[in-house]
Amino acid sequence: MSPRGRRTVITAALSLAAVMLWPSAAGAAEEACFDRATQPYTSVVDGHLHFRPFGGQAVPFEEMVGYLEQSGVKHASVFGIGQRLPVDSPCTYYLDCPGTPVLPSLKNDVVNAENVVDYKPQDVDLALSMTFPDLAHPKTVPPGMRLLDKEFPGMFRWMGEVNLVKQAILPNLAEPADLDDIRRWAPFMKQLRERGMPLTIHSDLGNNDNPTEFLYLMREVLERYPDNKIVWAHMGLSKELTTMDPDRHIAIMKGLLDRYPLLTLDLSWRVLEDTYFSKPGIREKYAAFFDDYPTRAIPGTDFVASRDKSYEVYAQELEVTSRINKAMGDEAFRDIALGENYFRLLGIDDTAPPICTA
Ligand SMILES: [Zn+2]
């Protein structure tokens, strides 16, 4: 048990004892609860955070950890990036340079792991993730896992974000995985199951011309690997899919959540707030959806730590991606924003505080 987890249990046990022994001491227990009226609505876990940029310099690791501490984030994923520009490219963002190849690479995972070893952050729990897998070439995945296991035994707790289909990088010679590739994922999916490691997949649902163009790919993954913990990044939404009918989107998500109990939705990326949640009437629809399925989503910023960004950018992305939290009921707020789902997904021995009742 982590020191924090142990503290939580001890605190909870003492509070309970106080209430049982002295009913008038109920105030002591109430202090441990989370007061939504006075405490921040920003999420305390960041389940989708890229410590490495597409190319060029990164925000130094310690500085990035400082951003988390400063903004009240206690747990975060340490993703590399699923599309890395060549080291000799002057590009820092793939959209600025179509034709320049972007490919996943082990380099970022090694750098992230080295940083965690060197700096050993105390106040933030970081979940190292393997971001190198190229899903269109699944044979390369088990050897990569072996290499990271050998160099950093037991340190990696997550895989992703990996790209199944990401339309934004198709001009950069990225090859989307097909049905045949998905079948050939079996060896590494077995290893992930055995380790209880979640897999965060970026797979565009579709685009404005055909909102469900690529749904069949995600269905194939879920149907073939129902016992893997799969996290669907951005619920399949993207800058290419900004006009989907929310009722239709929510109905598809509910159908999949009902059929696949280990599927988790990733609510990261400000594009979700900017193009869906912030529109009149739509926030309420999504909040009602999360209230119906409170245990099935995790929050995240999708911040990419390139050196041109500062704390202000991280804080803003956290605030924007957390606005949906305000519309959720207490149960979904606790499970999603306060981290209960994140803890369960990763097997972290921690628990979110109860929400104070008025
Ligand atoms: Zn991402």
Side-chain angles (χ1 to χ4, degrees), residues 26-183:
E30 280 160 20
E31 274 166 31
C33 67
F34 185 93
D35 185 355
R36 292 185 68 183
T38 58
Q39 291 181 267
Y41 58 86
T42 47
S43 303
V44 302
V45 298
D46 188 342
H48 192 133
L49 173 57
H50 299 278
F51 274 65
R52 305 297 302 168
F54 304 106
Q57 281 205 319
V59 174
F61 183 83
E62 274 186 294
E63 184 178 328
M64 188 64 235
V65 172
Y67 294 179
L68 300 175
E69 289 169 350
Q70 204 177 334
S71 56
V73 171
K74 305 270 187 259
H75 299 261
S77 64
V78 183
F79 291 175
I81 193 87
Q83 53 276 347
R84 202 193 144 109
L85 290 155
V87 286
D88 58 358
S89 166
C91 241
T92 54
Y93 191 49
Y94 53 88
L95 286 181
D96 299 333
C97 23
T100 302
V102 291
L103 293 167
S105 155
L106 267 168
K107 272 181 287 204
N108 286 315
D109 296 341
V110 170
V111 173
N112 279 337
E114 285 281 1
N115 282 331
V116 169
V117 170
D118 287 350
Y119 296 112
K120 297 182 186 59
Q122 296 297 310
D123 298 327
V124 178
D125 166 52
L126 297 175
L128 261 181
S129 189
M130 300 180 178
T131 320
F132 77 87
D134 179 348
L135 297 181
H137 300 94
K139 253 199 209 150
T140 61
V141 179
M145 289 178 83
R146 274 199 295 279
L147 190 143
L148 292 176
D149 284 346
K150 179 167 165 284
E151 300 295 334
F152 306 99
M155 286 182 59
F156 283 86
R157 298 151 69 189
W158 202 321
M159 183 175 278
E161 167 188 35
V162 288
N163 295 317
L164 179 48
V165 51
K166 180 164 177 161
Q167 296 163 96
I169 57 173
L170 294 181
N172 298 83
L173 317 174
E175 183 186 342
D178 59 25
L179 290 175
D180 204 45
D181 295 326
I182 292 169
R183 273 170 222 131

